[in-house]
Every structure is written in structure tokens, then in C-alpha cells.
Amino acid sequence: MVITSLADGVISGVESVTSGLSSALFDRPLRLGVTGLARSGKTVFITSLVANLMDRGRMLQLNAAREGRIEAAFLQPQPDDTVPRFDYESHLAALTGPSPHWPDSTRAVSELRLSLKVRPAGLLSGLQGLRTLHLDIVDYPGEWLLDLALLDKSYAEWSSDVLSRIASRPQAQGFLAEKSKADPAGTHDEPQAQALAAAFTGYLSAARAAGFYDCTPGRFLLPGDLEGSPVLTFAPLPPEAGAPRGSLWREMERRYEAYKSKVVKPFFRDHFARIDRQVVLVDALSAIHSGPQAVEDLRHAMTDILSAFKPGRNHFLTRLLGGKRVEKILFAATKADHLHHAQHGRMTAIIEALTREAQDRARFAGAETAALAMASLRTTTEEMRAHNGTELPCVRGTLLETGKQAAFYPGALPEDPSQLLTPARQGAERWLEGDYQAMAFAPAPLTLKHGSGPPHIRLDRAAEFLIGDAL
């Protein structure tokens, strides 16, 4: 009896160790970062992706789903106990309830773990058991990602860059007037520092609303519990090489460096540096509607975002030794449902051209990149409307402001993306040809079939690129 108990204990211990090793080797988590600048649809993307991975009837372009190899999908507690959980249930209820509405936007880092039980593919699949893929989805504001570029800039360099960019922008005139009252070499005065920071924050908010994307520092727009702290109470001032200790310029420089060390670096260390795959959501339609300057600003922002990544392949030894590289990066132009499908190819070509420099850099480093036009949640239907003797490809949906149904034609996107990018690079103030419009639609009431998630456009193709090889 004693020997039997000892043997059972040894066998149980071996099984436990074997299970642990198997879990460590084959059930490794895959961290998917989701980011994008304001109004790009991060929350909706994550909510729809999870819903469609749990009920896979609309995921035909995801090979593992089409082949029926995903046996089950279920939500688990996220592994990081200090990171807020992405509120999937509330966001899904907002999109699919009896009175659907857009959920609250991303304001901080959050995380969600979706575990997938998958049958292996291939000739030997019958000899292998089910595998588990833990998909850890990390949601964070794109404005915080742009802050990573500050790590390589001194306060003087950052100030010069910002002041040269905003000199002609009408949204900056209030801040520039406040700055003109300040003496950078004069003694630091806290009310004056607070007035400068408040005016600069006001500029950033107005610039973002006008369609500009170079709105750093990002925490000025999404301060959270740092609001009012000295680390968020600085603003760009003209370089002052001889500014004495205790001057306004020196104090602004000190706070800028504190922002980098106490806000930006911890974000990079605790969240960003651990990403395996990344999707960058881009509201290109709104940028086109805002004009050439917004399009050029978006192109620069995409390059800056990519510069924050460490692209390349995660080989086994790289992971074993603690290194991390972003293996795949997807640039997705959102709100494809605001265009008739006849224009989706043109939208894809535009996002490809907008991100060309960023993609080339990532591919050179060994990462795999892609770009596509998609809609995480389809809110419109398509129809043709007669206008001045021609048929216009339109979309119909519920207007967000009025709640009324309307058909909408946004204008014809050019076949050649250079017709947009060239005048944008040349500093044109408006489009010479074409009148591009943007419209805000509310989510449509849904009646979901059993086993199917919310309707989308190419979300399954995005999922296949991002995680298909891991399934």
C-alpha cells in the first residue's frame, strides 16, 4: 500500500511536470498590441475581433476557423494583475444591444486574454492532441506610442521641432501668444508655467480635432491620474543655451526629462516592449477629408510609430534569452464601410502608399507587414443612386448626430495614390481635384445568427495575417 501510494505520487508528479513543460513549450501566449490615433476604432476592433473569434461564422478568411480546427474559445483572467481588464462585455453590449451606440474610447492601457483550443493541421495532426493558444490583446492609445520618439530628443530639439511645425497653424495662435509673454531666461514662476501648459494642451486638443496627428506629449490629452502634476506642466520654449539654473527654461527642461523617465520609459518597459504582433489602425478617410496637410501629417505619424517598434523575427533563442521583436505589423485603414466596395481597392492602395516608408523599414529588419482596408463593425448597406444622369455608388446608414437614415457618397478616391500624396508632400492647402467628404454613422441594430459574431469587412483577413500562423 505504501509502495503503491509512493508510485502514484511519483507518476502524478511526473504528469504535473510534463504538463507544465508542455504548457510552457506549446501553450505560449501571443501578445497582440492594438493601437491607433484618435477615432481610429481601437475599442470596436478588439470587441469585434474577440466576438468573432468566439463565434466564428463570419471568419471564413481565417483558415483555422474555415477548416473547423478551432474547437473552443473562452475568456480567461489576464495574466497582468496590475493592468485593467478590457471591458469586453460592456463594449459588446453597447454595440449589439437594443439601442446600439459606440463604446467609450481608449484612455489607458488595458488587456484581455482569449484562449483558443486548436486542432493541429498537417499530415500528423491525427497523432497530436489539442493545443491552446493564449491570445493576450493589449489596448493602448496611439498618442502614447508617439511619445516613444521623445526618448531620442532633448528638450531643446523637441521644442524646436514643435515650434517650427505649429507656427502657421491657426489652432496654435493662443499658445503662441501666451509663449510670447514668457521670458525663458527669467526666473521660474509656477502660475506662468501652468498657463503655458494649459495653453499648449488647448492647442493639442484643437489640433487633434482639426485632423492633425503630431499631438505629443500624448498624456497631455489623456492625463489620467497625472492631471495637474508637474510632470504634465511644461510646454515648448525657444532654445536658451545660457538659461541660468532656476529659470523658466531650465524648469521646463527638467519636467520634460521627468516626463520621459517617469511616464514614457515605464510604458515602454512594462507594456510596449513585450508585444509580439501589432495592428495599427488608421482613420485615413478623416485625414483625406481634413485636407493635404492632415494627410502629410498622418504619413509622418505612421513613420514615427514604426520607429518606436523593434521589428524582426522572434526566433526560439531570442525568446529564450528574453529578447522580444515585433514579428508582424498590420496597418489597417478603418471605416471601409463608409465606402462602396468598388472603392475599397483604392483605399487599400492609399494606405499602402501612406505607410510605404514605415513598411520598408520594418521589412528590412525582418518583420512581416501588410496593409488593408477594413471595418471592424459594418454599419452601412450599399446602394446605387442616380445623380445628374450617372449612377453613384453610395452607402446608407444611420447618421450619428441626427439618428436619421441617409445615403452618402464620399467622393471618388483616385486610382493613383500619388494624386493625394504628392500635393500633401508639397504643402498644398486644399485638394485641387476631388471633394472628399466624411460622415459619422451610428452602429446599426443587429440580429446575430447563432454562431456568428458582429458583421465586419475583412476582419477575418486581418486575423489570418496577425495570428493565422499560430493556429
Side-chain angles (χ1 to χ4, degrees):
M1 293 291 290
V2 174
I3 294 176
T4 302
S5 296
L6 288 173
D8 288 343
V10 170
I11 292 172
S12 176
V14 170
E15 288 178 343
S16 177
V17 171
T18 303
S19 175
L21 288 173
S22 174
S23 176
L25 291 173
F26 301 109
D27 294 351
R28 75 176 183 92
L30 186 71
R31 290 180 68 84
L32 171 64
V34 179
T35 196
L37 301 177
R39 301 180 299 275
S40 59
K42 298 179 289 296
T43 302
V44 178
F45 173 85
I46 296 174
T47 303
S48 185
L49 176 64
V50 172
N52 278 286
L53 286 174
M54 297 184 73
D55 294 297
R56 298 169 291 280
R58 301 182 192 270
M59 299 294 279
L60 296 180
Q61 294 299 313
L62 179 61
N63 290 337
R66 185 181 66 252
E67 296 164 1
R69 292 191 293 106
I70 302 177
E71 296 281 342
F74 53 99
L75 292 171
Q76 296 201 71
Q78 76 270 28
D80 297 319
D81 292 332
T82 59
V83 178
R85 181 181 184 271
F86 180 84
D87 195 359
Y88 165 75
E89 293 80 6
S90 295
H91 297 326
L92 183 64
L95 295 172
T96 61
S99 300
H101 58 277
W102 297 119
D104 293 336
S105 59
T106 299
R107 303 191 64 83
V109 174
S110 63
E111 187 176 324
L112 190 70
R113 168 167 282 194
L114 177 67
S115 295
L116 303 166
K117 286 284 188 183
V118 186
R119 276 191 292 106
L123 296 176
L124 300 179
S125 59
L127 303 177
Q128 300 173 317
L130 294 177
R131 294 185 297 105
T132 301
L133 171 68
H134 300 298
L135 183 63
D136 293 335
I137 304 174
V138 184
D139 177 29
Y140 60 93
E143 288 82 358
W144 293 9
L145 183 60
L146 289 176
D147 277 352
L148 295 179
L150 303 182
L151 295 176
D152 295 327
K153 294 181 179 179
S154 68
Y155 175 66
E157 292 169 336
W158 173 74
S159 293
S160 295
D161 290 347
V162 171
L163 294 175
S164 63
R165 280 201 312 268
I166 71 176
S168 61
R169 294 181 184 176
Q171 298 84 5
Q173 297 313 303
F175 164 69
L176 295 176
E178 188 69 34
K179 178 184 69 69
S180 66
K181 304 175 187 176
D183 177 11
T187 303
H188 163 250
D189 177 67
E190 186 58 27
Q192 185 179 51
Q194 293 178 4
L196 283 166
F200 185 60
T201 302
Y203 154 71
L204 292 176
S205 298
R208 183 174 63 172
F212 291 102
Y213 298 92
D214 55 350
C215 300
T216 58
R219 291 292 183 103
F220 278 49
L221 296 169
L222 298 169
D225 57 1
L226 294 177
E227 186 168 8
S229 65
V231 80
L232 296 188
T233 310
F234 64 89
L237 292 174
E240 193 75 26
R245 185 174 300 177
S247 65
L248 177 63
W249 199 92
R250 291 296 180 194
E251 180 60 18
M252 291 291 188
E253 179 185 39
R254 188 193 68 80
R255 294 180 181 187
Y256 171 83
E257 293 298 332
Y259 181 82
K260 292 198 301 181
S261 63
K262 297 181 179 179
V263 177
V264 181
K265 286 183 179 178
F267 166 68
F268 178 82
R269 179 189 65 241
D270 297 339
H271 305 291
F272 181 72
R274 300 160 57 202
I275 297 295
D276 296 299
R277 312 284 170 90
Q278 178 70 49
V279 57
V280 180
L281 304 176
V282 185
D283 185 5
L285 284 177
S286 293
I288 294 170
H289 169 64
S290 297
Q293 294 182 9
V295 169
E296 178 65 3
D297 193 48
L298 175 60
R299 187 183 68 82
H300 281 296
M302 290 300 101
T303 303
D304 287 346
I305 284 176
L306 201 280
S307 68
F309 292 105
K310 186 181 180 183
R313 296 197 178 277
N314 267 323
H315 300 291
F316 176 73
L317 283 177
T318 305
R319 292 194 299 270
L320 187 65
L321 297 175
K324 274 281 191 167
R325 291 182 180 273
V326 181
E327 302 169 311
K328 293 189 175 187
I329 304 172
L330 175 67
F331 294 93
T334 57
K335 304 179 183 177
D337 58 327
H338 291 200
L339 295 170
H340 191 277
H341 75 271
Q343 295 208 60
H344 288 181
R346 298 183 180 189
M347 187 71 255
T348 299
I350 290 171
I351 191 63
E352 282 273 14
L354 270 172
T355 60
R356 175 63 186 273
E357 185 177 345
Q359 290 196 65
D360 286 348
R361 185 180 301 178
R363 288 168 182 160
F364 185 80
E368 189 177 348
T369 70
L372 56 76
M374 60 164 287
S376 305
L377 179 72
R378 185 162 197 156
T379 63
T380 64
T381 56
E382 296 183 351
E383 62 181 54
M384 301 297 291
R385 305 272 294 188
H387 179 73
N388 293 335
T390 62
E391 292 287 313
L392 295 180
C394 299
V395 293
R396 174 178 289 277
T398 302
L399 299 181
L400 186 61
E401 288 188 1
T402 64
K404 296 181 179 179
Q405 281 276 315
F408 173 64
Y409 175 66
L413 296 175
E415 291 187 21
D416 182 1
S418 66
Q419 294 183 27
L420 294 178
L421 269 62
T422 298
R425 285 176 180 267
Q426 294 174 345
E429 294 185 359
R430 61 184 180 86
W431 305 117
L432 296 179
E433 297 181 4
D435 183 17
Y436 307 109
Q437 302 295 321
M439 187 64 68
F441 290 106
L446 297 176
T447 302
L448 298 180
K449 296 181 180 179
H450 178 70
S452 293
H456 60 80
I457 298 175
R458 299 186 191 90
L459 182 65
D460 49 353
R461 284 182 55 186
E464 174 62 25
F465 173 79
L466 290 167
I467 65 171
D469 62 318
L471 297 173

